[in-house]
Amino acid sequence: MTRIVSDAAYYSMRAQEELEKARQAKARGDVPRMVAAHSELAVRYQAKAALIGGCRTDAFTR
């Protein structure tokens, strides 16, 4: 049984996690490719959450 209500929240949460990983990678001085990879995943997760609906879309404005 799929719980659609929690799917958007899950993807939104994963977007936040990937965004934090990108910030941490940048702070550590990791190669730009690593920062970009985490940032790209964050965008993809946020887009998926937006498609499902019921998510916050201001994750990247903080």
Side-chain angles (χ1 to χ4, degrees), residues 2-44:
T2 303
R3 295 184 333 192
I4 294 174
V5 174
S6 66
D7 286 349
Y10 169 78
Y11 287 118
S12 186
M13 177 190 67
R14 289 291 292 131
Q16 290 295 324
E17 290 173 358
E18 289 299 329
L19 190 57
E20 183 58 30
K21 287 179 184 179
R23 288 180 183 139
Q24 290 173 356
K26 187 174 182 179
R28 281 192 308 268
D30 284 356
V31 294
R33 185 177 288 182
M34 183 63 70
V35 177
H38 286 298
S39 296
E40 176 67 22
L41 281 173
V43 170
R44 288 175 184 238

